[in-house]
Amino acid sequence: MTRPRILVVGAGFAGVECVRRLERKLGADEADVTLVTPFAYQLYLPLLPQVASGVLTPQSIAVSLRRSRKYRTRIIPGGAIGVDLKAKVCVIRTITDEIVDEPYDYIVLAPGSVTRTFDIPGLTDHAFGMKTLAEAAYVRDHVISQLDLADASHDEAERAARLQFVVVGGGYAGTETAACLQKLTHAAVKRYPRIDPALIKWHLIDIAPKLMPELGDKLGSTAQNILTKRGVDISLGTSIAKAGPEEVTFTDGRVIPTHTLIWTAGVVASPLIGTLGAETLRGRLVVGADMRMPGQDGVFALGDSAAVPDEAKGEEGAICPPTAQHAMRQGKHVADNVIATLRGGSTTPYVHKDLGLVVDLGGRDAVSKPLGIELRGLPAQVAARGYHWAALRTNVAKVRVATNWTLNAIAGDDFVRTGFQHRRAARLKDFEYTNAYLTPDQVRAHVDGTERQE
């Protein structure tokens, strides 16, 4: 008899924690474990704004999945573009652009999320995202290049446009991105004697009435005051009406001349979930408290793409937010449930009480709410960085991040462009490949055709 085949889709927090737990708890001959991911590393997403600002190097938050020789999981370098639940087949597009079928007995769907966009004219053509390592590195190059281009320009209007930056999204990602990059440009402009620092303007806008409402009114106001004192123009209850290559139009009618629009207005579940033809809740796959998909044998889902009931809240209809702390714990728990199912045991519900939130605003500025305790300034910064440092999965990553933080604190920022801007321009639509997925009918037709050929 062949061993049961466990297929894990996605190498984010949820997927990697699941795989590592399966490897530790399963016997060598008990099951075959396969991981599908286009990149052989786990990305620590919360620290992306610090990569964009140059505080951290890209390698420091990309934890290699191939570093250790003891892991026995087979890694398929590619992306899952469809799942046929009836045939128990996952359709994968490999990095060589070959489409292959991967059969499974148990599947754990942890494909994560993609940037949420709206039908705004010019958005995907002219905005940058902050969801992938490549985007963060590209944004850093782009921002520094705007200073170089402004310094070289003799046109006052062009210079002013180069030095205006717009960030859309008043959540954690957007607030930290605006905060970290504003500090970068504030420090960098001192090296450009021909540029008037007053010309550099950062705009942070969000359709919501408050900045980071999850933190509460007091801490949200504290963060807003910190950014306002730094010169960041914050507009709430506002979004963008259209985006162009050299200007952005706000919904309140203002037109901002700029070459930099960074879009961080939330995330949605991976388009892979739409290929299942299954019930969803706000785009996330409906699952039980044990993360099993109702009515399906051996199908589990978790993380940003699954509507996992939040049992700890005790509120009817509450689902876990798409945060790293939930994804990591769900990954371990779903692995235990997969093993229990494989061994004929019973699954258990996922329960985790939220530990709080941390927001790093750069330097000594931060606001944090660990275990409900409101912190500001240096204590909040210690809590924020301490939490992120502890959450990094390997000691190598911890050493790299700690070293980067120490060097930045002692030597300050550097303003080196890595050369991405010498390639063709890349925007939001170029990084996440959301058009690569199949429809449920296409998945069924592909699998049926493959079976007939066999």
Side-chain angles (χ1 to χ4, degrees):
M1 294 180 63
T2 59
R3 289 190 292 266
R5 298 161 298 188
I6 302 173
L7 180 64
V8 180
V9 177
F13 292 108
V16 169
E17 290 297 330
C18 175
V19 166
R20 295 301 181 235
R21 190 125 173 148
L22 289 172
E23 288 180 328
R24 287 193 296 271
K25 289 199 165 186
L26 283 174
D29 298 323
E30 205 168 353
D32 292 326
V33 181
T34 302
L35 175 65
V36 181
T37 173
F39 306 107
Y41 60 76
Q42 178 192 9
L43 178 63
Y44 193 83
L45 273 170
L47 292 178
L48 271 184
Q50 295 192 36
V51 171
S53 64
V55 174
L56 299 176
T57 62
Q59 188 182 16
S60 63
I61 67 167
V63 183
S64 173
L65 301 178
R66 299 187 187 275
R67 185 173 182 86
S68 175
R69 296 180 181 178
K70 68 180 181 181
Y71 298 130
R72 64 180 188 271
T73 296
R74 171 190 168 212
I75 296 176
I76 299 178
I81 59 174
V83 178
D84 188 325
L85 297 175
K86 183 178 179 181
K88 288 199 168 187
V89 169
C90 181
V91 183
I92 300 167
R93 189 189 301 275
T94 69
I95 59 172
T96 59
D97 213 28
E98 178 187 4
I99 296 180
V100 299
D101 295 341
E102 185 67 23
Y104 63 84
D105 297 297
Y106 301 89
I107 187 168
V108 177
L109 297 169
S113 56
V114 297
T115 302
R116 179 181 62 183
T117 58
F118 301 98
D119 190 18
I120 298 172
L123 175 63
T124 58
D125 291 320
H126 303 295
F128 300 100
M130 189 58 64
K131 193 72 171 64
T132 68
L133 195 61
E135 284 176 312
Y138 193 95
V139 165
R140 171 175 164 76
D141 256 20
H142 172 82
V143 168
I144 295 175
S145 74
Q146 297 313 296
L147 299 178
D148 289 339
L149 290 167
D151 186 57
S153 177
H154 300 287
D155 185 312
E156 293 299 325
E158 181 189 359
R159 177 176 290 190
R162 296 282 182 191
L163 298 176
Q164 290 212 75
F165 307 89
V166 178
V167 179
V168 182
Y172 309 112
T175 302
E176 289 188 335
T177 296
C180 291
L181 286 173
Q182 186 275 336
K183 283 192 71 70
L184 172 68
T185 54
H186 179 75
V189 75
K190 297 174 183 177
R191 273 69 171 183
Y192 294 83
R194 294 184 65 245
I195 296 179
D196 179 2
L199 290 177
I200 297 181
K201 296 180 181 178
W202 280 87
H203 302 266
L204 176 60
I205 71 173
D206 192 90
I207 197 65
K210 298 178 181 178
L211 203 65
M212 297 182 293
E214 297 88 346
L215 280 174
D217 291 342
K218 291 183 180 179
L219 288 184
S221 296
T222 298
Q224 186 168 340
N225 291 336
I226 290 171
L227 295 184
T228 300
K229 287 179 181 178
R230 288 194 199 167
V232 177
D233 180 46
I234 299 174
S235 300
L236 300 175
T238 304
S239 187
I240 63 171
K242 62 179 179 179
E246 297 180 1
E247 66 179 27
V248 172
T249 303
F250 290 1
T251 52
D252 61 9
R254 284 180 292 165
V255 178
I256 305 297
T258 180
H259 294 260
T260 308
L261 170 62
I262 303 174
W263 179 268
T264 65
V267 296
V268 294
S270 166
L272 177 67
I273 299 304
T275 72
L276 276 65
E279 182 184 0
T280 59
L281 177 63
R282 295 196 290 274
R284 300 167 72 180
L285 186 66
V286 172
V287 295
D290 60 357
M291 292 171 280
R292 287 194 299 180
M293 184 178 170
Q296 295 292 333
D297 179 34
V299 180
F300 297 79
L302 66 163
D304 292 5
S305 286
V308 180
D310 194 342
E311 298 285 295
K313 280 191 175 180
E315 300 175 8
E316 186 176 352
I319 61 174
C320 296
T323 60
Q325 63 173 287
H326 277 290
M328 293 169 72
R329 289 162 178 81
Q330 287 172 7
K332 294 176 181 178
H333 197 93
V334 83
D336 291 340
N337 281 345
V338 170
I339 294 171
T341 304
L342 188 150
R343 293 174 178 172
S346 300
T347 60
T348 59
Y350 167 77
V351 182
H352 168 66
K353 187 175 180 180
D354 205 301
L355 298 177
L357 305 164
V358 295
V359 181
D360 189 333
L361 300 174
R364 294 187 176 185
D365 293 328
V367 288
S368 300
K369 198 175 182 179
L371 302 175
I373 302 170
E374 295 187 349
L375 301 175
R376 298 167 179 80
L378 187 58
Q381 183 64 280
V382 172
R385 294 199 171 183
Y387 172 81
H388 290 315
W389 186 84
L392 289 165
R393 190 170 55 81
T394 68
N395 290 329
V396 172
K398 290 179 179 180
V399 170
R400 284 176 175 158
V401 167
T403 301
N404 285 173
W405 279 337
T406 303
L407 285 174
N408 182 260
I410 295 174
D413 297 302
D414 70 78
F415 316 107
V416 176
R417 285 192 284 134
T418 56
F420 284 107
Q421 292 295 315
H422 293 296
R423 304 176 66 184
R424 68 179 180 86
R427 295 296 188 269
L428 195 62
K429 65 177 183 178
D430 299 309
F431 284 102
E432 296 189 45
Y433 309 106
T434 53
N435 61 345
Y437 296 87
L438 304 178
T439 66
D441 289 341
Q442 289 173 328
V443 173
R444 185 70 254 172
H446 170 79
V447 173
D448 285 346
T450 302
E451 290 175 347
R452 283 194 298 269
Q453 290 175 8
E454 293 175 351

